[in-house]
Amino acid sequence: MREEDSNWFAKWEEELPSPEELMPLSQTLITPDLALAFDIRNPPPNHNHQSTPPRPQTTAHSSQPNSSAEFDSVELVGSGGGGDGGVAGAGGGVGSDEPARTLKRPRLVWTPQLHKRFVDAVAHLGIKNAVPKTIMQLMSVDGLTRENVASHLQKYRLYLKRMQGISSNGSGGVGGSNVSVDPTDHLFASSPVPAHFLHPGRPNTDHFLPFMPVATMQQHHQMAAVVGSGPGPHHHQQLQQQFRHFGTSPPNGQFEHSFIRQSQQQVQRMGAPVHISNGSVASPLYVEDSESPRVGNGRKVLTLFPTGDD
DNA sequence: GCAGTAATAT
DNA sequence: CATATTACTG
């Protein structure tokens, strides 16, 4: 009888989760081979010319506090259509690359995993604090820019609004005899919606949610894959990776280990009680979109998310 | 400057 | 088609 459970999110709303305090969003390390394959190229002994800033981060003045070690790296494949897989053979051979000044960031591919992190961040931030910048910081996905999140957030909000209109319809409308499931929901449909995201000032109409276990998330390494567009056969692949040291001495010398979140069973219940009245297929599971984001037009998409666990 | 949205571009 | 980008507004 603790209303706290019900209002746990209320606390979030009132309390501002300091980015510094944010717990290390779980993310395991990338397998060494993977990391090596991608780009853990030891920088050449040559002096790094400052003329070519390795991190043209859009949000430059984003002083990232020592927020744990984050290895989340968005994999940005150069816009060359990724002639090769990029995964293979990198081994440092590609090392010598001079980032052109006019390098644009390739498209970011929102994988279900990445999106899940996004949703989790939003859920934990609360609707009020769920602003692009905060979300981006909470996600701590390296390479993610505010624009990325903003753009996605825009779409996500539209999706939520659409969802609120229909509550008896699960996203996994695989039955076929379903009314309007926008094909654009595919991405969003693969991630469990925390069950709120509705209007905060709205009285609970019919919310039956046993519990919201979405308190902690455990995920493996996150990588956002970016695909290049264009029939360009071979192009430089730009792999951007950034890792932070977590063992750096804290500014105050005061560093305490946060509570290590245990791998709590993530029993996620579908927010929408899929009520199948007909004898149709009632599979409340999320659509397993194992299909790679294929694009029909000679566009190569590299979707590498070995994170099978969701 | 940042956030929200719609329209548009790639 | 999924994102990115832009223009406009608050």
Side-chain angles (χ1 to χ4, degrees), chain A residues 163-213:
Chain A
M163 270 284 163
Q164 288 161 21
I166 46 179
S167 46
S168 354
N169 188 358
S171 28
V174 259
S177 49
N178 241 328
V179 284
S180 54
V181 256
D182 280 87
T184 43
D185 300 343
H186 285 156
L187 212 187
F188 305 113
S190 39
S191 90
V193 177
H196 343 22
F197 288 24
L198 303 176
H199 324 171
R202 181 176 176 159
N204 21 358
T205 47
D206 49 281
H207 65 78
F208 12 66
L209 194 66
F211 53 104
M212 48 297 243

Side-chain angles (χ1 to χ4, degrees), chain A residues 82-101:
Chain A
D84 62 15
V87 201
V94 230
S96 51
D97 57 317
E98 171 78 12
R101 281 146 217 294

